[in-house]
Amino acid sequence: RLITGPHQRRAVALSVLLLASLAATNAFAVAQSYAQRDYMTALAQKDAELFRSSLGRALLMLVVATPIRSFVELLLGSLAIAWRDALTDSLLAEYFQPSAIHWLRRQGNAKDPDMRIAVEAGHFADVAALMVHDIFENGMRLLAFVGVVYTISRS
């Protein structure tokens, strides 16, 4: 297994938190789009009271959603670090097997292999975490706004 022990628990916990935070961020985005619709409608109808209340609600959602978006970025970085640590541990365990060390010495073409392992594992973990984030975020955004379009089409 690639990720075991504390790395696995940490990565799973961070993944669950990331999913929950992305869901909250997308829920606020949908709610904010409804609030924006309301204040734009109020503006078109020249209803000052509805405009003020709708604009206030949209601004409140923006204020609440901003820390959640920042938390998503924090979780993304933490998840990449957890994956990097797990991958580095796994690769170094394989690297320090006697057969691997002898093979690398015989080949002689790997300059500073332990440093390359750490750098490449970190790069891979960063890219993998970004990819997972993008897939989750865009999937949730698609589902959320499909729901909005469905709601609009029914009325």
Side-chain angles (χ1 to χ4, degrees):
R1 291 180 53 153
L2 180 63
I3 301 176
T4 57
H7 294 303
Q8 182 180 27
R9 287 188 294 276
R10 187 171 161 216
V12 168
L14 289 169
S15 298
V16 168
L17 281 172
L18 180 64
L19 279 172
S21 298
L22 285 172
T25 300
N26 281 303
F28 275 106
V30 169
Q32 193 171 20
S33 75
Y34 280 114
Q36 289 170 344
R37 176 204 62 189
D38 292 344
Y39 76 72
M40 293 302 282
T41 300
L43 186 62
Q45 295 173 350
K46 298 181 180 173
D47 185 346
E49 185 58 38
L50 181 60
F51 177 76
R52 273 193 289 280
S53 66
S54 299
L55 186 60
R57 195 171 60 237
L59 289 174
L60 177 67
M61 287 183 199
L62 182 65
V63 167
V64 171
T66 299
I68 296 173
R69 286 188 190 108
S70 298
F71 188 61
V72 166
E73 294 300 318
L74 173 73
L75 288 172
L76 181 62
S78 299
L79 184 61
I81 290 170
W83 285 353
R84 181 202 63 201
D85 291 346
L87 189 56
T88 301
D89 286 350
S90 175
L91 290 171
L92 287 176
E94 291 296 319
Y95 169 68
F96 285 115
Q97 296 293 321
S99 59
I101 291 174
H102 295 304
W103 180 80
L104 285 170
R105 283 186 186 154
R106 245 188 2 254
Q107 292 294 321
N109 60 359
K111 303 282 190 251
D112 200 11
D114 52 341
M115 178 61 134
R116 287 187 60 198
I117 286 172
V119 169
E120 296 302 325
H123 179 68
F124 179 80
D126 288 342
V127 171
L130 280 172
M131 184 183 74
V132 167
H133 169 268
D134 288 346
I135 289 170
F136 286 153
E137 182 178 43
N138 291 326
M140 286 183 190
R141 187 176 295 154
L142 177 67
L143 289 174
F145 284 101
V146 162
V148 170
V149 170
Y150 178 73
T151 303
I152 291 170
S153 69
R154 287 183 34 199
S155 54

